[in-house]
Amino acid sequence: MSVSEATDWLDLRVEGLKKSFGSHEVLRGIDLSVGKGEVVVLFGRSGSGKSTLLRCVNFLEEPTAGVIEVAGIRVEGGGLRTKAQRERIRQLRIRTGMVFQEFNLFPHRTALENVMEGPLTVLHKPRREVEATARELLAMVGLPDKADHFPIQLSGGQQQRVAIARALAMNPRVMLFDEPTSALDPELIGEVLSVMRRLATELHMTMLVVTHEMGFAREVASRMVFMYEGEIIEEGPPAQVLGDPQRPETRRFLEAVL
Amino acid sequence: MTTNGGGGAPVAPPPAPGYQPGRRERLELYSAHVPFTLKLVAVWAVILAILASLFAIADFDTAWMLDHAEFIARGITWTIVIAVFAIVLACILALLGALGRLSRNAVAVGVTGFYTSFFRGTPLIVQLFLIYLALPQIGLALGDPWLDILTLDVLTAGVIALGLNYGAYMTEIFRAGIQSVGHGQSEAAEALGMTYRQKMRRVVIPQAVRVIIPPTGNEFIAMLKDTALVSFLGVSIERMEIFRRAQLVGKADFRNLEALIVAALIYWGLTTVFQYFQLRLERRLSKGYVRGTAGVAVAGERAAPAG
């Protein structure tokens, strides 16, 4: 496993990432670096490849070509996987937290058990320590009294906050958010965004976020990345990208959503 | 109004003043007031009465039946032992079979494909005799240690045959159960860094079990009855299950009807008992899927406005 030097300040690097579904090329060569504590917001029309990019980062989608590097673990995309390569992907996933649009909590486990699952099963940490951390995390996302609730007994916003706690419990280097508020009723979006804001501002978590919440992006993002037809065509600090977009595609998209 | 709007079919004219409903109509009106449950009980009573009168004609010997019921009932132990061991074997095979069918490994797909195809494509009774009679023949050909290994006693052969046969059918049940767990669950487990085994053991199978339990309960109840087939192999008297015992005493005293009725009632009773347990298990497994089953706080929330 080659740990590359001179990338200590980087938590995530994507090089030349390509992804095709059949003959349809969804990603056409993406280069993206996310530094420690950076919050990068990916935005663009649906079908522009932003979710696919996010899902390629932890190999839920197998890239057709390119390199993904998380916390010094480099994995090349494409081709068949040997056992050793699959293990390297697993190591990469352990260092990556993922929050899904549809929450995907384990319905047969309580909120607390959901948060404990990763550290217990994957990291084999002692139960007592794991439970204490899990309770702290539930408190941090504002749900200290919901530990013994099953997901179905929680609202969408509460479920998503448990899902964030579950991902954080692995102590990841990078958090990936795949449209975390898109499945929520409008009145529940705020509670999830405020948890994400705390992650960024108080914990300085490295985050890669796909979202349509431009208000959140303006306030929290260190950098905004606009994707168009499988390519990054514009990026920069929110004030610049939102205030003075350079590309006509970006301008048109922003006019439509703002 | 003499016709209804739709079909134009004639409708009975409204009763004239002083109209007396006919006998049939009175019966109908009366019947409408009898509770449904009461009617059900009556129907069952009639069916049993008909059966009882048939038995009476056939010179049914109730006293003999009661005398020999205990002897037949002693077979319950073996019936249940065979069924329980066989269902455990079947569940293990079904799980392996389902994982094999769903895998991308050619060996696993090939082996499980052959297994399910053969054991679903041939009669259970043939499989039973193959395992009991044909295996020793192979053992004989292979030489010394194999003859001992492949010569099975009746109950072991029965358990293995039933387990193999039911496992092949249950492979489909388990496969459907595993596939019923949403793809998002797999992704969530993988994103946490779980291995395939961890994902299956901790996330997928526990959720699939909910879907698998009801049809598996049905299979167990069916198997409880199919244990009777083992009696065709012939066993020593102390290890006979229900059906074999019923045959034995029934033939000896030429009281076949009585003996078989006892056996049938015992099977019926057993299946009813196990159906009840199955229902309770299903209720328990719905935990986490029905709002308010486990949440103390949920009950508290409901009570809050009142207090």
Side-chain angles (χ1 to χ4, degrees), chain B residues 39-51:
Chain B
K39 288 183 194 165
L40 267 189
V41 171
V43 171
W44 277 68
V46 169
I47 293 172
L48 292 177
I50 292 170
L51 287 176

Side-chain angles (χ1 to χ4, degrees), chain A residues 10-255:
Chain A
L10 275 186
D11 273 341
L12 168 66
R13 184 150 71 176
V14 176
E15 290 168 19
L17 179 65
K18 289 186 179 173
K19 172 68 184 174
S20 302
F21 292 107
S23 61
H24 178 55
E25 197 169 35
V26 184
L27 298 176
R28 309 157 173 244
I30 302 283
D31 294 291
L32 180 70
S33 294
V34 182
K36 267 196 173 59
E38 241 193 319
V39 177
V40 173
V41 167
L42 293 171
F43 71 115
R45 285 205 316 229
S46 69
S48 60
K50 51 197 192 313
S51 274
T52 307
L53 167 56
L54 200 75
R55 291 166 54 81
C56 279
V57 167
N58 65 353
F59 289 84
L60 288 182
E61 228 50 270
E62 176 71 54
T64 313
V67 177
I68 308 286
E69 182 179 324
V70 172
I73 298 177
R74 277 173 74 89
V75 183
E76 289 192 21
L80 299 164
R81 294 283 174 208
T82 63
K83 202 170 179 183
Q85 283 173 327
R86 286 202 301 270
E87 175 58 22
R88 203 191 295 185
I89 289 175
R90 200 174 74 83
Q91 291 300 327
L92 183 148
R93 284 173 174 163
I94 287 172
R95 290 158 179 79
T96 317
M98 177 99 172
V99 176
F100 299 88
Q101 185 177 342
E102 300 291 340
F103 332 135
N104 293 345
L105 288 181
F106 304 132
H108 58 305
R109 305 208 182 273
T110 62
L112 184 69
E113 288 167 343
N114 263 280
V115 181
M116 291 169 66
E117 188 59 44
L120 273 186
T121 306
V122 179
L123 304 178
H124 305 292
K125 285 189 178 170
R127 177 173 284 273
R128 185 177 302 221
E129 180 193 322
V130 169
E131 186 179 331
T133 317
R135 286 191 189 279
E136 276 172 33
L137 284 168
L138 281 178
M140 201 203 78
V141 299
L143 299 168
D145 52 339
K146 302 290 185 192
D148 297 325
H149 282 55
F150 285 94
I152 199 172
Q153 299 168 318
L154 301 172
S155 73
Q158 291 169 335
Q159 287 190 50
Q160 192 60 299
R161 287 187 277 155
V162 173
I164 293 173
R166 175 177 69 177
L168 287 174
M170 295 294 286
N171 200 14
R173 287 281 290 272
V174 183
M175 284 282 282
L176 308 174
F177 292 86
D178 188 6
E179 302 200 27
T181 58
S182 295
L184 295 175
D185 292 336
E187 75 272 20
L188 302 176
I189 291 174
E191 60 190 65
V192 172
L193 290 181
S194 82
V195 167
M196 290 169 63
R197 195 173 294 126
R198 279 193 61 192
L199 289 188
T201 55
E202 292 174 29
L203 302 180
H204 306 292
M205 178 61 74
T206 308
M207 291 159 66
L208 186 57
V209 185
V210 172
T211 185
H212 296 291
E213 297 293 328
M214 291 299 128
F216 170 83
R218 185 196 306 271
E219 198 187 330
V220 180
S222 351
R223 191 150 42 103
M224 291 186 70
V225 172
F226 182 69
M227 289 189 64
Y228 187 82
E229 292 184 349
E231 283 173 288
I232 294 175
I233 64 167
E234 180 161 4
E235 60 180 306
Q240 180 196 314
V241 173
L242 293 173
D244 181 24
Q246 300 300 304
R247 297 285 295 254
E249 295 88 349
T250 321
R251 223 171 298 144
R252 249 181 282 133
F253 177 81
L254 288 173
E255 275 163 16

Side-chain angles (χ1 to χ4, degrees), chain B residues 84-146:
Chain B
V84 167
F85 276 101
I87 200 80
V88 169
L89 177 63
C91 284
I92 294 168
L93 290 171
L95 178 60
L96 294 176
L99 294 176
R101 306 280 309 151
L102 292 172
S103 89
R104 275 183 227 154
N105 183 310
V107 177
V109 174
V111 169
T112 52
F114 171 80
Y115 163 62
T116 52
S117 176
F118 179 80
F119 282 94
R120 289 169 58 168
T122 53
L124 172 55
I125 189 85
V126 172
Q127 294 161 15
L128 197 63
F129 277 89
L130 271 178
I131 286 163
Y132 186 59
L133 299 176
L135 280 187
Q137 201 176 330
I138 295 172
L140 202 61
L142 285 176
D144 192 24
W146 291 103

Side-chain angles (χ1 to χ4, degrees), chain B residues 230-247:
Chain B
V230 177
S231 67
F232 281 108
L233 301 181
V235 264
S236 58
I237 194 161
E238 68 274 14
R239 302 178 78 183
M240 284 179 179
E241 42 65 67
I242 297 166
F243 180 53
R244 188 83 184 100
R245 282 168 174 268
Q247 274 185 312

Side-chain angles (χ1 to χ4, degrees), chain B residues 58-103:
Chain B
D59 184 26
F60 194 79
D61 191 339
T62 322
W64 184 95
M65 197 175 92
L66 293 174
D67 280 349
H68 292 79
E70 201 217 322
F71 175 81
I72 297 170
R74 259 185 270 153
I76 291 176
T77 320
W78 284 115
T79 294
I80 292 179
V81 165
I82 295 168
V84 167
F85 276 101
I87 200 80
V88 169
L89 177 63
C91 284
I92 294 168
L93 290 171
L95 178 60
L96 294 176
L99 294 176
R101 306 280 309 151
L102 292 172
S103 89

